Structures are given as structure tokens and as C-alpha cells.
Amino acid sequence: MRAKYIATTFYIVFLLVPIYWLINMSFKTTNEILGTFSVYPIEFTLENYATIFTDPTWYMGYVNSIIYTAMNTTLSVAVALPAAYAFSRYSFRGDKHLFFWLLTNRMAPAAVFALPFFQLYSAIGLFDTHLAVALAHTLFNIPLAVWILEGFMSGVPKELDETAYIDGHSFGGFFVKIFIPTIAAGIGVAAFFCFMFSWIELLLAKTLTAVVAKPIAATMTRTASTSGYELGLLAAAGVLTIIPGAIVIYFVRNYIAKGFALGRV
Amino acid sequence: MARITLDGMRHSYSPTPSGDDDYALKRLDLEWSDGGAYALLGPSGCGKSTLLNVISGLLRPSEGRILFDDEDITGLPPDRRNIAQVFQFPVIYDTMTVRENLEFPLRNRGLPSNVARQRAIEIAELLELSDILDQRAAGLTADGKQKISLGRGLVREDVAAILFDEPLTVIDPHLKWQLRSKLKELHQRVQRTMIYVTHDQTEALTFADRVVVMNDGNVVQIGTPSELFEAPHHTFVGYFIGSPGMNVMPCDVRGGQAFFAGDPIETTNANLVKEGATGLELGIRPEFVSFAEKGLEVRVVRVRDAGRSQVIDTERAGTIIRLLLLEGVEVPAETARIAFDSKRTRVYADGWLVE
Amino acid sequence: MNKTENQRGWFFVLPVLLLVAFNAIIPLMTVVNYSVQETFGNNEFFWAGVIWFEDMLQSERFHNALLRQILFTGIILLIEIPLGVAVALTMPRQGPWVSVCLVLMALPLLIPFNVVGAIWNIFALPDIGLLGRGLNELGIDYNFTRQVGSAWFTIILMDVWHWTSLVVLLAYAGLVSIPEAYYQAARIDAASHWAIFRYIQLPKLKRVLTIAVLLRFMDSFNIYTEVFVLTGGGPGNATTLLSIDLDKIALGQFDLGPAAAMSLIYFLIILVFSWIFYTIMMRNEAQ
């Protein structure tokens, strides 16, 4: 291997070692973890995973997380599309200020909003629902989606729109049949980032749910505190949270470089 | 200054080429003489950029050698080859000033500071960049940036050849001709070999002393602009050069005489056609076809106004034959007879001129 | 792009505006409300003016948390930005390994924050974690649950592990967007590797890096879950960063007034810094 790639290789190894350790732990019993120290499972066991797949409190956690993440991604991208189009094509009074204000929400510390969100969503009766988390996450995902989509849309020349109108398309027809396919990569990227930030966020997801819509992250923290350290189970749960992310990255791998360009780089 | 020779050159982008089709450049044996102004002309994908990159060293050919003045430089990297290249879009160092851009290639090669400075000033004057020498290069217009790219090539005295890869692509149309004439003027002053790749025949024909026409990885013909126009060696050359291109019609040759749609046509080379030759065609440029009392019977299909001239489409036996006449000349309405200038009519077999 | 003047634009942004405003304005108003009132329990509120703000701005606890936060953010920026750029520079740009590298590098970015904390918890435990046990075997006295130095070392290492890839991916995107012709011209100009970096790559990276610094600054200033799961803010207060401190005050002690005041001050700090970065970034883009 060329010397040039050594830095990259070391970096990737650095990234993978803790993950390997997690996987290692997930196949051990808690007794073995606390008792012996080994780099591989001496007594390989699947009981941790079995527990997760058979106990509803566990697997529902995953289901819940996937539900609200999917809801949020769809919602964020859907409303961001027309807004991004407006920012890209039109100039209207206050547009730059509005754009900046949107971005400031991305900067907000979740901790600041935890308590107010708790009160707000309880007040409107959405406490402990998937919708609540999906809506709460739009606070930072919508600005991000708008920013990314606007970047991609600005890369599409206005002549495309004008040609479509000359060809007799209505605005709706043009938008759906012509424009959206053109920025498909941008939509993929925006959806990826929305998924990513919603999937990994814990504080608000935990605050706004109790039992019904509890995300997997909350179940995991409960385990760590109440029944002592069930490390093997925790590790298995952790491994399973990495898998959806890995799958998503795999699907968008060709767009990652393009995506991080955000159309603006 | 150098003579550039390509010996047995072939290039394929695939590591394991199987057939002829896998080669972007088919077998080439070419010689470019010292100080000439050449154009590499051809449609997109014909291999001209590949050839240029082989010459500059940015691409290593799969087969063959390249020699500068009899010295084999096939293995040498671009910076050791005494060439300069101007790319399709302006490549400049944005953070530097114009002066620093021009001095850059010399400083990298270890030339003393004052020498580099002096050369940069000389070249800037040649290119009419003197009054913006200390401006940041990033702020210039596209044609200014291309001039800087060119300048970085001219600044090195050891440059044997300057290669241009469709350099006027991003230049505004009304500035194109200005830059083009500047390039021609520069060539005359500087007397270095210049190879100019383009798909635009006007650019090629006005810039070059000799034009290399390429198609599908092959060199089809090399000649001066007038040779290419008057005596195309291949129907492709006839069709690609001139506007409108050469008329090509299928024909038979019997007993040393060419026939089109049953009528005999006088040509310069029908007698040279071998027995059993296939794919026979007649080629004649629209400029050399005229309406006449006696001649081939045709049906007039369309008359197009092309400014100072008119293009007339006529039809016989399913083939369109075009005429190019001055505006104002009378055009018969429905049927007419046309005659070909026999000294300009030639027979082609499978596209190639019969000789 | 020449935008057309069209007030119809407001209709297009209306859904976005409503949703974000709902989530942003109402809670913010609530926070402002609490920040200027005092309660003695029993749901009775009295106007308190700016006392909470004064208290908070003068409180040593707040200063300490702020200092810890600034230290943390400063350190990780100094590590992650150069490291990210270095890795991006050495990554392959073509060929089958590119996808592999990108996918593997992006992996830490998609792990839920609490799992990140859990991974490092398991990894760094002094007796049963690979890192913890390893360091102790090497003779280093390492225990992140008991020692301040170890705790700080671990949270920094965790953040670098977690987020450097973001910088790598951004820098990589910037690098691959440089057309090959620039490198070709540089070869013809006999430019050295250093010259190529300085005159071709670095200028291109400047824009990307501004985004990277902005994002990392904001997110690291807001960091909560990973650190909380790993150290709980300890040992003692050693790793109690701003968000964790706020959480302790708000949800732990239910001191709504001070918590609200702190929230606003916190938010304002980020806003000011971010606005500065954003303006610099926009000015760079306009050039």
C-alpha cells in the first residue's frame, strides 16, 4: 500500500477499534465481561441479542425510533422543498433575514428547549407520541434541509423553469415532473442529514416520550441505571443502533462527497 | 524548439484492450515539424484531447514512443518535457497576482529572481497584460485568465511546443476572434510549435498552417487548409470541413467511368478504381456544382438564404445534392439540370479517396 | 442567480415558517417568561426583573461551566480541524477504495449520541475496557470516573473519534471539486507538493473549513448526551459543560428562573459567535 494512505488507514483503524470492542462485548455474557478480560468472546453467546429481539420493551424502542425519524425526514424535506425553491428563485422582503433566522435554530442548544418543549407538547396533548418527537426535531432539521436544498437548487439554472413554462407546463407539473428529478441528489442528501440528526438526537426524544413512543436510546439509559450494569445487553443494543445508520450510508455512499459539498463548496 | 515525432503510437484507456474499438487512439505515426502552427480538428470523442495529453505527458500511451528531436521522452513526466499546455477553462493561481502567476513556472525551476521577473515583464507586454501585472489574478475576465495561462507557457524559454486544448471554449463569442488573431500573431512572433485542439473548423482553419483531421481515433488527413478543402482524402474530411459540407452520393464505376443514377459523371480518378471495389461514392463540394443546360436531371427541393449566398437542395434518386450559389442568382423552380466541375469531382471507396 | 422579485415567495416559505416558529418562538417565549419571574412554589409567580440574569452572570458556577466549555471547544477545534484536513488530503480520490473509506468514516457520525457515550464508557473502563485496561497495563494511572485528567482526556478523545469525520468529509468534498486540470497545470509548472497545497488546495479549502469550524463550534458548545452518558459531568464537576450544567439546574433542581436566565445567556453567546462566523463565511462566498 502506498505510504500516502497510511494516515487514512490509521484513522479508519482508530474509528473501528471502539466499535469492534462494542461488538466484542455484545457477544459476551455480563458475567464474562465483569470477570475476565479478553479481546474476543471466550464463550460466544447470542443471548443478549435474543433478549432484545424477544422483549417488546427493547425492540419497540427501535421501532419507535425508526417511526419518528421517518416521520420527521418526510415532513422536513416536504416543507423544505417549496421554501428552498422560494429562497433560490425569488427575492422577497425579508428573505435574507428569514434565511438567517432559520439557521439560528440549528444552533440552539437542545438543553435550552428541553423543559419548554416538555410543557408545550404536554399542553397540546402530544406528550409521548411519535409525532411530538418528529415535530420537535423539525426545529433543527427543517433549517438544515432548506439550506442543503437551496444550495442544490441554485445550481439549476432558471432557464429550465422558463423553458418548462414555454412548453406549457403548469407550475405544479413543472415542479413535480421536471424540477424534482433534476435535484434528486439534493433531496437524497437532505433526507440523509435529516435522518442522521433525528436518529442520533436523544435529549428531546427522551424528554417528550414516556412509554408508548420511547426511543431505543431511552431504553438503553434505563438499563444502565436501574438493573446495574447489564453491559452485554447494552452493547448488543448499541450494535443494533449502528446498523440502520450503516445501511443508510451504504445507500447514499455515492452521494456523500457531493452531499457534503452542500451544493455550495 | 523541437521536432515532435510519434512512433507507433496507440492508446487505450482500458488496461486490457481486446479489439480495435478499445483504443481511443489507433495506430499513429506522425511528425510535427519545428515551429509549425498545427490544428487538431475533429468531432467530440475523436481522440484529439487524448493525443494532446500524450504529447504533453499527462497521459502515458499504452504503446509506442514519442520523440522530441529524436530523443525518446516517452517516460518523462510533463514538467521535464519542455511543453506548456493551455486548458479548456482558465487555470490560474487565484491567490497570486498576474505577475506572480507568470513568474511561477520559472521560480519553481530555480531561475534567479531577477531573470524570472524580467521574463514575466516581457511576456506580459507581448500579451498586453502589462498594466494589470499587480492585480490579483482571480479578478480578471475569462480571456484575461486564458492569457495568463498562455503566458505561463511562453515565459519558459525552453518550451518546445505549446499545446492548446479547446482554449476558447469559455470565452465570450465577440472576444473569441480577438484572442484567435492574437494567438496567430503570437505564433508568428515567437516561432514555437503550437498544437491547437478544437472541434470548430473556423478556429482550426484560421489558426493553423497545417491541420490534422481526426475521427474515431484515426488521423484522417493532414494538410493545409486549402488542401483539405480542395482535395479531401476522406469523405469525412469533406463533410466536416466547409459549410455546407461536401456532397457525397453513391455511384458505380464501370470501365473506368463513374455513373450516378444511370448517368455518366466525369471525375478525376474513376480510372484508378480497382476491380471489385466496394462502397463507391462520388464527392463534390456544393461550391463546384452549378445549374447548366446539359447535365444531371434533378428536382429542386429547397432554397435557403445564407446571408451573401444561398444553399439549394436538389434531389435525384433519393440523394440530396446541394449547390452553393451567390445570392441573387436565379434558381429554377421545379426541375433543373446540374453539372459538376469534373476537376473537383472524385471517387471514394469506403470513404477513402481512390488514388 | 438573478432572482425574480416575487412576494409570492412568502407562501412557499409559510409551512416552514409556521413549523419552525411553533417550535422556536413559543418555547423561547416561555423561557423568557420564566427568566424574569420568581416563584415560591404553589404556581405563584412574581415579577423579578433582571435578578436572575445578574445572579447568573455573577455566579461562579456559571463562570466555571463557561470556562470549561470554552476550554473544551477550543481543544477539540484545534485537534479536529487540522486532523480532518490531513486525513482528507491523504484519502484516495479515485478507485474502489473511495466508497469504502467514505462509508467507514461516516459510521461514527450516525451513532446515536447516547450509544457513543456507552461505547466509550465500555471502552474506557479501567478494568474491563480495552482502552482503560490497556492504559493501566502500560503503567499509566488512568481512571476517568475518578480522575479529572483522565476524564478530560477521555471526553476529548471521544469527541475527536465522533466528529472528526465531519471535517474529513467536508474537506474531502472541497478537494475533489478541484478540477484535474489544476493539478495538471501544476505538474507542467513544476510546482512542489507544498506549492500545490498552498496555492491550489488551501484556497479551495478555506470556504469548506469555515463551514466546518462553524458547525463544530456550534455543536460542541451544545454538547450534552455523549458527555453526560460517559461521565455524568464528573468526577465532581470536572466535566460539567454548559449544557450539562443547565440541565442540572433546570430539570434537576427545578430552579426555573435561574435556568431560564442561563438558557438565554447561553443561547445569546452561541448566537453572537455564530453570527460572526456566518458573516465571515458569507463575505468569503461573495468574493
Side-chain angles (χ1 to χ4, degrees):
Chain A
M1 189 194 336
R2 296 176 52 184
K4 178 166 128 87
Y5 300 139
I6 284 191
T8 309
T9 316
F10 268 122
Y11 180 68
I12 291 184
V13 167
F14 165 60
L15 292 184
L16 292 179
V17 167
I19 296 181
Y20 168 75
W21 190 248
L22 187 74
I23 299 177
N24 179 27
M25 289 284 187
S26 71
F27 289 119
K28 293 184 179 184
T29 61
T30 307
N31 281 333
E32 184 185 329
I33 294 176
L34 294 174
T36 51
F37 176 82
S38 60
V39 186
Y40 59 88
I42 298 183
E43 273 181 41
F44 188 93
T45 171
L46 288 173
E47 69 179 47
N48 296 317
Y49 289 99
T51 311
I52 297 180
F53 282 120
T54 51
D55 181 354
T57 29
W58 278 103
Y59 65 71
M60 275 314 287
Y62 291 104
V63 174
N64 289 335
S65 294
I66 292 183
I67 292 179
Y68 70 67
T69 305
M71 284 172 76
N72 173 273
T73 303
T74 319
L75 182 58
S76 299
V77 174
V79 303
L81 274 169
Y85 184 79
F87 282 119
S88 159
R89 269 33 181 172
Y90 303 142
S91 80
F92 44 94
R93 223 171 324 159
D95 54 359
K96 289 199 201 15
H97 297 101
L98 183 60
F99 198 63
F100 178 67
W101 173 74
L102 279 180
L103 291 184
T104 61
N105 291 298
R106 169 70 180 73
M107 305 171 193
V112 167
F113 288 88
L115 188 53
F117 268 10
F118 178 74
Q119 295 176 328
L120 175 62
Y121 283 91
S122 301
I124 59 176
L126 280 182
F127 180 73
D128 204 16
T129 59
H130 302 98
L131 186 58
V133 185
L135 283 176
H137 284 173
T138 61
L139 177 62
F140 9 90
N141 273 349
I142 286 184
L144 190 61
V146 170
W147 193 34
I148 294 176
L149 286 171
E150 196 270 341
F152 275 91
M153 288 183 183
S154 295
V156 178
K158 249 173 44 166
E159 284 72 38
L160 183 73
D161 311 19
E162 286 155 14
T163 316
Y165 299 145
I166 294 177
D167 284 346
H169 286 95
S170 67
F171 178 75
F174 152 73
F175 199 77
V176 173
K177 281 186 270 190
I178 299 181
F179 197 65
I180 288 192
T182 313
I183 51 158
I187 295 182
V189 170
F192 169 72
F193 277 99
C194 287
F195 168 85
M196 175 177 148
F197 283 115
S198 185
W199 180 251
I200 59 182
E201 202 283 330
L202 168 63
L203 180 53
L204 294 180
K206 205 164 63 119
T207 312
L208 292 173
T209 58
V211 180
V212 174
K214 184 148 66 171
I216 181 60
T219 319
M220 286 175 68
T221 45
R222 189 202 57 152
T223 305
S225 46
T226 56
S227 25
Y229 269 113
E230 282 197 38
L231 282 175
L233 194 53
L234 201 65
V239 171
L240 290 176
T241 61
I242 301 182
I243 293 181
I247 295 179
V248 171
I249 310 176
Y250 181 73
F251 275 117
V252 299
R253 68 189 181 286
N254 292 324
Y255 294 107
I256 288 184
K258 218 185 291 181
F260 275 88
L262 299 177
R264 291 169 176 276
V265 170
Chain B
M1 255 63 76
R3 191 179 63 243
I4 304 176
T5 315
L6 299 174
D7 181 26
M9 175 81 53
R10 276 215 301 182
H11 185 73
S12 170
Y13 282 108
S14 117
T16 51
S18 43
D20 228 23
D21 281 345
D22 287 334
Y23 282 89
L25 280 183
K26 318 248 183 357
R27 173 127 190 161
L28 292 175
D29 295 286
L30 279 182
E31 198 174 287
W32 314 74
S33 59
D34 194 4
Y38 291 91
L40 268 184
L41 178 64
S44 298
C46 69
K48 52 194 197 295
S49 289
T50 308
L51 182 54
L52 202 72
N53 286 337
V54 163
I55 297 177
S56 65
L58 290 171
L59 202 54
R60 190 162 175 159
S62 354
E63 285 168 37
R65 307 183 304 155
I66 170 167
L67 309 143
F68 275 21
D69 265 342
D70 299 326
E71 190 191 323
D72 189 339
I73 53 139
T74 319
L76 281 186
D79 51 297
R80 306 249 302 277
R81 264 193 208 204
N82 304 334
I83 52 99
Q85 188 159 340
V86 178
F87 296 89
Q88 218 165 20
F89 59 89
V91 173
I92 55 164
Y93 301 101
D94 296 289
T95 50
M96 299 187 201
T97 61
V98 174
R99 184 195 301 274
E100 286 165 349
N101 260 277
L102 292 176
E103 292 176 1
F104 192 60
L106 296 179
R107 289 181 190 274
N108 285 335
R109 287 175 163 87
L111 259 63
S113 198
N114 54 329
V115 175
R117 208 179 163 83
Q118 187 53 38
R119 280 297 289 168
I121 294 177
E122 277 172 33
I123 297 304
E125 206 178 301
L126 199 61
L127 293 167
E128 289 162 16
L129 292 171
S130 304
D131 29 337
I132 48 168
L133 265 179
D134 290 301
Q135 253 185 46
R136 275 183 58 143
L140 266 54
T141 53
D143 61 304
K145 290 182 181 177
Q146 281 295 48
K147 282 196 201 168
I148 297 180
S149 292
L150 178 56
R152 287 207 315 276
L154 291 172
V155 108
R156 292 159 45 201
E157 297 199 312
D158 62 327
V159 162
I162 305 184
L163 311 173
F164 298 86
D165 193 351
E166 311 206 43
L168 301 184
T169 309
V170 295
I171 311 290
D172 283 339
H174 66 276
L175 287 172
K176 268 196 221 218
W177 73 263
Q178 224 180 57
L179 209 49
R180 213 160 53 211
S181 8
K182 189 90 199 143
L183 286 176
K184 184 87 186 146
E185 183 196 311
L186 272 172
H187 175 256
Q188 276 154 1
R189 277 179 71 171
V190 163
Q191 296 283 318
R192 308 238 189 109
T193 313
M194 289 189 183
I195 304 179
Y196 188 109
V197 165
T198 178
H199 58 268
D200 182 318
Q201 50 162 321
T202 321
E203 279 179 28
L205 298 175
T206 48
F207 173 78
D209 300 329
R210 290 173 69 76
V211 179
V212 177
V213 182
M214 289 185 70
N215 187 31
D216 202 24
N218 282 313
V219 170
V220 175
Q221 183 171 359
I222 305 180
T224 64
S226 48
E227 282 167 17
L228 291 175
F229 187 79
E230 305 263 333
H233 285 179
H234 194 285
T235 48
F236 173 75
V237 177
Y239 150 76
F240 197 72
I241 295 193
S243 183
M246 184 168 81
N247 287 307
V248 176
M249 13 182 163
C251 69
D252 317 307
V253 171
R254 293 188 294 270
Q257 172 74 37
F259 293 86
F260 169 64
D263 289 347
I265 309 281
E266 286 302 318
T267 63
T268 58
N269 61 344
N271 53 328
L272 298 171
V273 175
K274 293 194 187 53
E275 276 299 314
T278 52
L280 292 172
E281 290 165 314
L282 281 177
I284 176 130
R285 288 205 178 272
E287 290 84 344
F288 306 128
V289 183
S290 48
F291 289 115
E293 300 285 311
K294 290 193 308 177
L296 199 62
E297 231 185 85
V298 294
R299 189 171 60 92
V300 176
V301 173
R302 191 148 75 125
V303 179
R304 265 177 295 160
D305 185 356
R308 305 261 314 270
S309 48
Q310 31 181 354
V311 178
I312 299 112
D313 288 8
T314 65
E315 182 267 330
R316 169 70 186 264
T319 311
I320 298 280
I321 305 170
R322 291 207 171 94
L323 291 85
L324 187 68
L325 301 175
L326 288 175
E327 73 173 345
V329 171
E330 269 235 21
V331 178
E334 301 214 347
T335 59
R337 286 183 181 275
I338 57 176
F340 301 156
D341 182 342
S342 60
K343 290 197 290 302
R344 301 283 201 334
T345 317
R346 298 182 180 83
V347 179
Y348 293 83
D350 283 328
W352 292 96
L353 182 67
V354 170
E355 316 188 275
Chain C
M1 161 144 0
N2 286 328
K3 303 189 188 180
T4 42
E5 165 102 33
N6 190 344
Q7 301 304 326
R8 207 164 59 129
W10 274 101
F11 281 117
F12 284 79
V13 302
L14 208 52
V16 160
L17 187 55
L18 288 176
L19 269 173
V20 177
F22 172 72
N23 277 315
I25 297 189
I26 300 179
L28 223 44
M29 275 171 20
T30 315
V31 172
V32 172
N33 197 18
Y34 281 138
S35 70
V36 290
Q37 295 190 358
E38 192 168 336
T39 171
F40 289 115
N42 301 327
N43 262 330
E44 285 171 16
F45 289 90
F46 304 88
W47 173 259
V50 296
I51 347 172
W52 297 132
F53 290 98
E54 284 173 359
D55 276 357
M56 188 53 61
L57 286 171
Q58 287 162 4
S59 110
E60 195 180 320
R61 173 178 181 165
F62 177 69
H63 291 165
N64 289 337
L66 184 58
L67 281 171
R68 281 183 220 119
Q69 181 68 67
I70 292 177
L71 182 63
F72 178 73
T73 298
I75 295 179
I76 61 110
L77 279 177
L78 281 173
I79 298 179
E80 291 175 13
I81 305 288
L83 179 59
V85 172
V87 173
L89 282 172
T90 64
M91 268 175 74
R93 259 169 244 147
Q94 280 170 328
W97 287 106
V98 176
S99 298
V100 175
C101 282
L102 291 176
V103 168
L104 288 177
M105 285 189 189
L107 212 47
L109 297 175
L110 270 96
I111 303 181
F113 293 156
N114 70 306
V115 179
V116 173
I119 289 178
W120 278 85
N121 198 327
I122 296 178
F123 190 57
L125 282 172
D127 40 351
I128 52 178
L130 185 59
L131 180 71
R133 179 75 169 249
L135 285 178
N136 281 307
E137 295 279 316
L138 285 176
I140 306 173
D141 189 15
Y142 170 81
N143 189 334
F144 71 88
T145 53
R146 301 240 182 85
Q147 292 159 5
V148 175
S150 302
W152 270 83
F153 171 73
T154 317
I155 60 173
I156 289 175
L157 195 59
M158 175 175 69
D159 196 87
V160 168
W161 178 87
H162 190 188
W163 289 108
T164 304
S165 289
L166 185 65
V167 183
V168 173
L169 289 171
L170 279 170
Y172 182 75
L175 286 175
V176 297
S177 68
I178 300 177
E180 185 63 24
Y182 277 89
Y183 293 109
Q184 291 173 338
R187 278 164 75 186
I188 292 176
D189 283 342
S192 63
H193 282 301
W194 168 248
I196 293 181
F197 176 69
R198 186 168 159 210
Y199 296 116
I200 298 180
Q201 293 173 319
L202 200 54
K204 190 65 187 186
L205 283 179
K206 241 190 255 186
R207 200 181 288 170
V208 173
L209 286 184
T210 321
I211 299 179
V213 170
L214 181 59
L215 282 179
R216 284 311 304 135
F217 170 81
M218 281 177 354
D219 288 347
S220 80
F221 230 76
N222 293 340
I223 199 172
Y224 172 74
T225 314
E226 305 104 291
V227 177
F228 186 72
V229 169
L230 181 63
T231 63
N237 269 339
T239 58
T240 300
L241 303 175
L242 271 180
S243 259
I244 298 177
D245 201 33
L246 175 60
D247 189 58
K248 277 188 188 171
I249 297 178
L251 295 176
Q253 299 161 221
F254 252 100
D255 276 345
L256 297 179
M262 180 175 168
S263 296
L264 287 175
I265 298 174
Y266 188 5
F267 199 3
L268 239 107
I269 295 176
I270 301 183
L271 214 57
V272 165
F273 274 113
S274 302
W275 183 80
I276 296 177
F277 275 128
Y278 184 74
T279 316
I280 298 179
M281 194 169 87
M282 286 295 118
R283 206 178 302 143
N284 276 339
E285 263 196 41
Q287 265 175 4

